Amino acid sequence: MEETEPLTPLHPNHVKAMRLTAIIAAVPFTIAALAAEITRLLPWGVFLVPVALVAAIIIIRIPLRRYHARGYRLAEERLQVVRGMLFRRDTVVPFGRVQHIDVDQGPIERFYGLATLTLHTAGSHNASVSLPGLAHEDALAMRDEIRAAIRRDTQ
Amino acid sequence: MTDEVLEGTPQRTALKGLLARGIEGVRKGILGIAAIGFAMRDEGSGFILAAGGFAVAIFVVTLVFSYLAWTRLTYTIGDSDIRVESGILARAARAVPFERIQDVSLEQGFIPRLFGLVEVKFETGAGGKDDLKLAYLTEDDGEALRDLLRARRESAPVAANANANAETGEPEAAAEEAALLFTMGPRRVLTFGLFEFSLAAVAALAGAVQQFDFLLAFDFWDLDAWQKTLAGPGDWLAGLGFAARIIGIGLVVGTLLLVGLATGFVRTALREWGFRLERTARGLRRRRGLLTRTDVVMPVHRVQALRLGTGFLRRLFGWHSLKIVSLASDSGAANHEAAPFATMAEIAPIVATTGFALPDDDLEWHGVSRKYRIDRVLLSAAALVPVAIALPFVGEARLIPLPLAGLALIALHEYLRLRWDRHALGSQQLFTRHGWLAPSLAIGSRVKLQSVEIAQGPIALRRGYASLLLGLAGGRLRVRGMALAEARNWREAILTTIASQDFSQLSEPAKANTITPAAHSSPDYA
């Protein structure tokens, strides 16, 4: 059944959120590179050009690839989360094994109206499975759906 | 303050909890405060002022942050779950269904106690740090909340049933005789000690000689000096001839062996003396130990998986060990030794008691992907062959055989693993066996798994194999290097089994028992 239906992609804002995170991470390196340029120890651009190149890849290319590598499928009382470009992880959590559910929003996620849904299980491996990059209201709706399913199971 | 817990509306924790947190903050910062006081001790009375000022600053800062957090923290008792929302900048919302709450505990530290405050902990199967906590509530509110949640949990039909069973079942069952499953007499313990030869003790002794060599009159490790001593004026030893030297070496080796053996004996005897495993109403009860006697009860319904192990020597004599993987929230280690040193005939009844079964003949065993093993050898080659090539360039050409021999050993190991490692999926259980020198077998229950993950690294993605990682409470269960299609089939089959029972049914003794008869019916444990 699994491969017949395509994965649901994450919210497009997720790419923007990842890019913003990458930009913030790149700031100290850029400043350091600029400072190194000002010292004029080496010809112009030896520090700045590589830093700018790596930053450009991390900011422009990587978030898009990561976005396309990620996805989820909510069907048949289970949540399937796929993630990872190089190291691919394809996890399925049945609702019947969910202990509790978190909906978290970091500052950047809040800015873009996103949220991370985390399912906690009793297992030592995959004790918590996170799905980032959902629209906040989608995350809440998914939480309620999973909650309702747990309730049904026990009755 | 109020005895009643308001339902459906967001609640806040106790306001005076802020004071408790502020004081806690000062208590935690006491070292820093003392350090400041100490650093300023030459400034006359100023040091008291500095330390005091620092303490006040910590108090105020903790208070401000606690207050901000407090304004943003609410909990809501819903129809079927408790929800906690928190966070100043980053918002977190957690929902815990009543069915998943195993118990509610109230904890009181020293300072909260002075203020009549409690921390409410909601224990779920997740165990440990992931559990939900609410700090601080007044004692009355905490107790009211606990009562409400306990009442709610029992009103859920399934849980109520199971609880009733557990309650009525307990007193009469407690009277029931404990059945002895496995015991180890002095002879068995000593035999066990023989196999527990301690290499670590030998290494420690050798290490001690090295560490404390300044106590010796000579340098133990100085080979040249040894040779000089032997060949020089003191060549009386050499004069005794070759045989005497052999005897000398034999004595040293013998002493080391004796120390290793004795350590093994003593340690094993201390730990395993009077080993008794019984089946009681509450579960498997294990008692052992000479000086410190431990008494552990492992509830049968909490058994998640079994592990059978052996050693490369003891295997030849038919000795095996049985470990129980239990729910993580059990006290102490989650890995319990049910039979550390036993024959398969002794282990089989214990396995049956836990509701599991040893593999039978009908099982279809599969090996791992050949590509997976080949890739592992190739990866090692990619690391070792360049080393071999580089060696002549650094003038160490005579060391070339070393990396190559290592590679040959790795290749042999991988080949034997390919031959020996097997996994099988039964109707209720799954089995993985790995290792060729001392093979171990893990037995997992399909229905007791928590999640299934298929993981692939960059090489695995291209070569079409995967690792199957199973979420097991209290332990790990995985099959590496499975063919991708097989991994997908296993996942689908396991997920279907998981869906047949909810976690709350698994965690109740009465429900778990219903699986046992079926598992009992396969007595084939050769």
Side-chain angles (χ1 to χ4, degrees):
Chain A
M1 64 103 217
E2 284 170 31
E3 277 67 39
T4 54
E5 215 184 307
L7 289 169
T8 315
L10 299 172
H11 196 277
N13 275 358
H14 185 44
V15 182
K16 295 179 194 166
M18 282 192 289
R19 281 188 177 150
L20 186 56
T21 315
I23 288 170
I24 292 170
V27 165
F29 293 99
T30 316
I31 291 173
L34 279 173
E37 290 298 334
I38 289 166
T39 61
R40 294 178 184 274
L41 276 175
L42 293 167
W44 188 90
V46 171
F47 295 103
L48 198 58
V49 170
V51 167
L53 267 175
V54 171
I57 291 170
I58 289 176
I59 292 167
I60 297 165
R61 178 127 180 84
I62 303 278
L64 204 62
R65 286 200 58 194
R66 285 175 82 180
Y67 174 78
H68 285 301
R70 288 176 181 179
Y72 69 95
R73 189 179 285 127
L74 191 69
E76 299 178 43
E77 307 260 294
R78 52 177 91 151
L79 176 68
Q80 182 179 9
V81 177
V82 180
R83 59 210 185 280
M85 312 182 294
L86 279 179
F87 293 87
R88 204 167 172 75
R89 295 192 167 267
D90 180 344
T91 315
V92 181
V93 181
F95 294 168
R97 293 294 177 276
V98 174
Q99 293 290 330
H100 48 251
I101 311 159
D102 287 344
V103 176
D104 293 339
Q105 278 189 297
I108 295 173
E109 285 181 310
R110 264 173 99 178
F111 180 73
Y112 285 110
L114 299 173
T116 301
L117 180 78
T118 307
L119 304 187
H120 295 265
T121 72
S124 305
H125 179 79
N126 276 333
S128 49
V129 176
S130 314
L131 179 58
L134 296 167
H136 190 228
E137 50 277 18
D138 288 353
L140 292 177
M142 281 166 75
R143 176 187 70 183
D144 291 340
E145 189 182 333
I146 296 169
R147 270 295 304 111
I150 294 175
R151 185 85 184 144
R152 257 198 320 278
D153 265 6
T154 27
Q155 275 171 350
Chain B
M1 305 285 162
T2 47
D3 257 345
E4 272 167 51
V5 182
L6 287 171
E7 288 163 38
T9 50
Q11 311 269 311
R12 291 196 192 287
T13 54
L15 189 56
K16 61 180 173 176
L18 296 182
L19 276 178
R21 277 187 192 278
I23 296 174
E24 287 264 86
V26 175
R27 191 182 60 84
K28 280 179 190 152
I30 201 89
L31 272 179
I33 295 166
I36 285 198
F38 188 73
M40 307 274 285
R41 67 192 181 287
D42 296 331
E43 313 279 312
S45 64
F47 81 96
I48 298 180
L49 230 69
F54 188 51
V56 170
I58 291 184
F59 183 72
V60 170
V61 168
T62 320
L63 210 61
V64 168
F65 276 100
S66 303
Y67 175 74
L68 284 177
W70 179 81
T71 57
R72 304 285 277 159
L73 175 83
T74 59
Y75 64 96
T76 313
I77 312 287
D79 297 332
S80 60
D81 59 6
I82 174 164
R83 291 172 186 213
V84 176
E85 293 187 24
S86 64
I88 302 167
L89 270 179
R91 294 287 288 162
R94 173 166 287 189
V96 184
F98 292 145
E99 293 84 32
R100 290 294 186 267
I101 299 176
Q102 309 273 334
D103 199 12
V104 184
S105 63
L106 303 180
E107 286 195 8
Q108 251 183 335
F110 174 66
I111 292 162
R113 198 166 163 188
L114 296 177
F115 290 92
L117 297 168
V118 289
E119 183 179 24
V120 185
K121 270 190 177 168
F122 303 88
E123 285 162 31
T124 61
K129 58 175 167 45
D130 274 337
D131 273 348
L132 181 70
K133 289 172 195 160
L134 264 181
Y136 292 102
L137 264 57
T138 61
E139 283 169 357
D140 291 342
D141 281 351
E143 270 163 40
L145 186 58
R146 176 169 67 177
D147 292 345
L148 177 93
L149 288 180
R150 284 196 172 156
R152 277 298 172 79
R153 219 182 90 75
E154 272 154 37
S155 69
V158 171
N161 235 341
N163 267 15
N165 278 348
E167 268 155 33
T168 53
E170 202 115 330
E172 55 180 273
E176 193 186 300
E177 283 248 322
L180 183 67
L181 278 173
F182 176 63
T183 182
M184 294 204 298
R187 237 188 100 157
R188 175 69 65 87
V189 172
L190 291 180
T191 320
F192 185 17
L194 201 66
F195 286 96
E196 288 287 275
F197 176 84
S198 173
L199 263 180
V202 173
L205 185 72
V209 170
Q210 197 170 24
Q211 273 299 310
F212 300 106
D213 54 0
F214 57 88
L215 294 177
L216 299 174
F218 52 90
D219 189 351
F220 191 84
W221 300 105
D222 190 349
L223 287 178
D224 288 343
W226 272 107
Q227 255 164 14
K228 246 184 254 166
T229 321
L230 291 174
D235 65 354
W236 57 272
L237 191 62
L240 288 180
F242 188 65
R245 258 198 256 181
I246 295 289
I247 290 172
I249 291 170
L251 270 176
V252 171
V253 171
T255 314
L256 285 178
L257 280 179
L258 209 66
V259 167
L261 212 57
T263 313
F265 266 128
V266 171
R267 226 174 33 190
T268 310
L270 283 177
R271 195 179 61 227
E272 309 289 355
W273 198 263
F275 189 102
R276 275 178 83 81
L277 184 77
E278 291 164 338
R279 169 86 166 111
T280 67
R282 284 170 58 223
L284 295 173
R285 181 184 186 195
R286 185 194 69 193
R287 279 172 289 179
R288 66 172 178 182
L290 187 63
L291 298 176
T292 34
R293 200 142 173 83
T294 58
D295 189 341
V296 183
V297 176
M298 310 166 237
V300 169
H301 66 271
R302 292 197 144 193
V303 178
Q304 303 292 314
L306 301 178
R307 271 182 217 288
L308 278 151
T310 184
F312 73 100
L313 252 180
R314 65 190 77 176
R315 179 161 75 115
L316 304 176
F317 298 89
W319 298 114
H320 300 266
S321 69
L322 176 70
K323 274 186 185 163
I324 288 177
V325 179
S326 183
L327 250 187
S329 52
D330 276 0
S331 60
N335 239 337
H336 300 291
E337 277 186 321
F341 194 69
T343 62
M344 281 314 282
E346 287 167 328
I347 285 176
I350 308 175
V351 171
T353 310
T354 58
F356 283 76
L358 290 167
D360 52 34
D361 297 335
D362 305 338
L363 277 179
E364 227 182 282
W365 293 91
H366 294 272
V368 298
S369 159
R370 185 179 294 270
K371 285 180 192 165
Y372 171 65
R373 293 289 166 203
I374 291 173
D375 288 355
R376 281 175 69 103
V377 177
L378 288 179
L379 270 180
S380 309
L384 288 171
V385 170
V387 171
I389 293 172
L391 275 173
F393 294 101
V394 293
E396 298 283 0
R398 65 200 166 105
L399 290 181
I400 286 181
L402 230 57
L404 294 182
L407 184 59
L409 275 179
I410 289 170
L412 180 70
H413 173 78
E414 293 295 337
Y415 172 73
L416 288 168
R417 289 289 296 266
L418 180 68
R419 287 279 311 274
W420 280 88
D421 284 15
R422 290 284 180 271
H423 49 261
L425 190 65
S427 61
Q428 292 184 31
Q429 304 182 107
L430 56 99
F431 305 88
T432 72
R433 190 186 68 193
H434 60 92
W436 53 274
L437 203 56
S440 72
L441 174 74
I443 308 177
S445 161
R446 283 168 63 157
V447 75
K448 287 184 176 181
L449 297 173
Q450 311 291 328
S451 64
V452 190
E453 175 169 294
I454 292 176
Q456 290 176 287
I459 299 171
L461 270 171
R462 277 162 191 77
R463 301 270 284 163
Y465 56 83
S467 291
L468 188 73
L469 311 171
L470 301 157
L472 176 72
R476 54 166 46 170
L477 196 58
R478 49 186 51 177
V479 186
R480 293 196 180 280
M482 260 181 154
L484 186 60
E486 192 189 12
R488 288 214 168 108
N489 288 340
W490 273 49
R491 175 163 83 174
E492 201 43 49
I494 290 167
L495 285 170
T496 313
T497 315
I498 291 178
S500 67
Q501 257 186 330
D502 185 67
F503 181 83
S504 58
Q505 290 164 283
L506 289 178
S507 57
E508 297 293 344
K511 281 284 167 184
N513 281 346
T514 55
I515 324 169
T516 329
H520 265 305
S521 65
S522 45
D524 201 344
Y525 27 64

